[in-house]
Amino acid sequence: MPRLLRSISLRLLPLLAVASLLCAGCIKEDVAENTARGNFDALWRIADEHYCFFAEKQKEYGLDWNEVYTRYSAAVNDGLTDRQQFEIFGKMLAELRDGHTNLYAPFDVARYGKWFDDYPMNYSDSLERVYLGRTEDYRYTCGLKYRTLDDNIGYIRCASFNTAIGDGNLNEVMRELSLCDALIVDLRNNGGGLLTTAQQLASVFINSTTTIAYMSHKTGTGHADLSAPEAVTLDPFPGLRWQKPVAVLTNRSTYSAANSFVMFVKHLPQVIVVGDKTGGGAGLPFSSELPNGWSLRFSACPMYDINMVCTESGIEPDVHADITSEDYARNRDTIIETARKLLRERCQTTN
């Protein structure tokens, strides 16, 4: 068990395990037949009883889950093919507007992508190569690519949190960049991964045990059946920690655990968030299964920032910046350059 979030994890995991067993029991009792109607009703009911953001979605865009059932139910009959069922089911789940909501069939995965598809990319792998350089120009460990830029600003490219970061590895990254005047942590296009990895990276920016978020979990089948929020605390990294200005770069594809990282550090005085609004994804996923064997995943445990604000719909940057076509043509990343300018100004102010 990682030291990060140990206390809340120990309480949460048994509850999730019990909830999973209870859910499986309900499905077996209530849905005996593998039919289009049976699968549709099971899908709607499982989400109805366990999804955690109904209140937020209703407030944001007027979601009425009962109305959604009525509308899509009219199209369901037992003459539908598997692919026709899948199309209807996927469209119904998309009404939740949640990138953590997926339906897995042997031939496809239903997913909601408007949280990033409808916005500028604000990231280019070609421009990333300009700043990282050739393979021999940067160091790489545990999913982190890092180097010192020519203005003595450290740059860490973190494209995913799918890989755990060891204490020794992170200490070496901090040691390598310790003489830099400031630091950029680039989380653009980071779709998430292990929450513990996000916590590990965030721990280098705090010097004492800090409340970084709050978490609730489902306690019943009602939409409002959520536990009182519990504080999520983070211990400081035991090795070298960063004390200087930091810019965290974000875009609409900064999601899930990456969104949580931004939530963890945004309130810290030395941190400034630059780029576009994050994609959100502030719920820990829950998994279940339909009678036909298709797997279902959606958000079941909501997380909130230190001000008890839900970040499911994303986190606004402190300074908004988009990659301009003029900069792109000159091999310049507008977001990185904006962050460098802001960090240089902060360094001059503190010196």
Side-chain angles (χ1 to χ4, degrees):
M1 171 69 68
R3 76 179 191 285
L4 305 171
L5 265 185
R6 183 181 294 110
S7 61
I8 195 165
S9 296
L10 289 174
R11 289 192 293 270
L12 180 61
L13 290 177
L15 289 169
L16 289 178
V18 171
S20 298
L21 290 173
L22 290 175
C23 178
C26 290
I27 295 171
K28 290 179 181 178
E29 291 177 5
D30 297 342
V31 183
E33 295 184 1
N34 176 15
T35 63
R37 171 58 58 187
N39 284 298
F40 176 83
D41 286 347
L43 176 64
W44 182 88
R45 187 184 66 256
I46 294 168
D48 180 67
E49 294 178 353
H50 297 282
Y51 185 69
C52 66
F53 288 125
F54 281 117
E56 286 78 8
K57 304 297 182 175
Q58 196 283 325
K59 181 178 179 180
E60 181 183 354
Y61 59 92
L63 174 67
D64 182 338
W65 193 236
N66 289 320
E67 183 277 330
V68 168
Y69 176 88
T70 300
R71 180 155 37 97
Y72 285 92
S73 178
V76 176
N77 63 76
D78 289 336
L80 296 174
T81 66
D82 284 352
R83 283 169 171 75
Q84 288 171 331
Q85 292 179 55
F86 185 84
E87 181 179 0
I88 294 171
F89 295 1
K91 287 181 177 179
M92 182 176 73
L93 290 174
E95 298 281 348
L96 296 174
R97 301 186 188 181
D98 188 332
H100 274 146
T101 300
N102 302 108
L103 181 64
Y104 300 87
F107 48 83
D108 201 358
V109 177
R111 65 272 188 200
Y112 179 77
K114 288 186 178 181
W115 51 275
F116 66 91
D117 283 338
D118 289 350
Y119 300 88
M121 179 66 72
N122 275 324
Y123 165 78
S124 164
D125 54 359
S126 297
L127 293 180
E128 179 185 302
R129 292 184 63 186
V130 172
Y131 289 86
L132 278 176
R134 297 174 59 84
T135 303
E136 62 269 20
D137 295 329
Y138 63 86
R139 299 182 185 275
Y140 179 67
T141 183
C142 298
L144 303 177
K145 298 178 180 179
Y146 61 102
R147 67 169 301 179
T148 301
L149 302 179
D150 56 15
D151 55 356
N152 202 39
I153 290 178
Y155 177 76
I156 297 176
R157 171 62 179 143
C158 180
S160 171
F161 283 128
N162 283 328
T163 302
I165 305 174
D167 285 358
N169 303 102
L170 190 54
N171 192 69
E172 285 302 309
V173 174
M174 291 294 99
R175 186 187 64 79
E176 179 71 20
L177 300 175
S178 61
L179 296 181
C180 293
D181 297 323
L183 181 65
I184 292 173
V185 179
D186 192 344
L187 293 183
R188 291 175 297 172
N189 280 35
N190 182 328
L194 302 172
L195 188 61
T196 50
T197 300
Q199 294 162 345
Q200 174 81 323
L201 185 58
S203 70
V204 302
F205 302 115
I206 61 172
N207 293 314
S208 61
T209 300
T210 303
T211 297
I212 55 172
Y214 290 89
M215 179 188 294
S216 296
H217 56 266
K218 289 285 289 184
T219 59
T221 59
H223 290 184
D225 290 342
L226 293 166
S227 68
E230 296 185 51
V232 178
T233 60
L234 184 64
D235 294 330
F237 182 61
L240 293 174
R241 297 190 292 272
W242 188 264
Q243 310 294 324
K244 305 171 191 176
V246 184
V248 177
L249 309 189
T250 58
N251 66 354
R252 289 295 301 187
S253 292
T254 304
Y255 191 75
S256 192
N259 179 83
S260 296
F261 176 89
V262 179
M263 178 174 64
F264 297 157
V265 304
K266 189 176 189 292
H267 66 283
L268 300 177
Q270 76 273 33
V271 173
I272 185 169
V273 180
V274 181
D276 201 354
K277 184 179 181 179
T278 66
L284 299 186
F286 169 92
S287 296
S288 189
E289 188 174 292
L290 301 185
N292 64 1
W294 294 353
S295 297
L296 172 65
R297 183 186 82 144
F298 54 81
S299 301
C301 294
M303 293 187 72
Y304 310 91
D305 70 13
I306 60 169
N307 298 311
M308 279 303 298
V309 174
C310 179
T311 62
E312 164 66 11
S313 296
I315 301 170
E316 293 285 353
D318 296 308
V319 177
H320 185 96
D322 296 312
I323 297 178
T324 67
S325 55
E326 294 80 8
D327 276 346
Y328 184 82
R330 294 186 297 164
N331 280 335
R332 285 170 51 91
D333 187 316
T334 313
I335 296 176
I336 291 179
E337 293 303 328
T338 299
R340 294 172 81 174
K341 180 175 182 294
L342 291 167
L343 289 173
R344 288 193 295 268
E345 291 171 352
R346 287 197 169 196
C347 289
Q348 291 172 0
T349 300
T350 55
N351 290 336

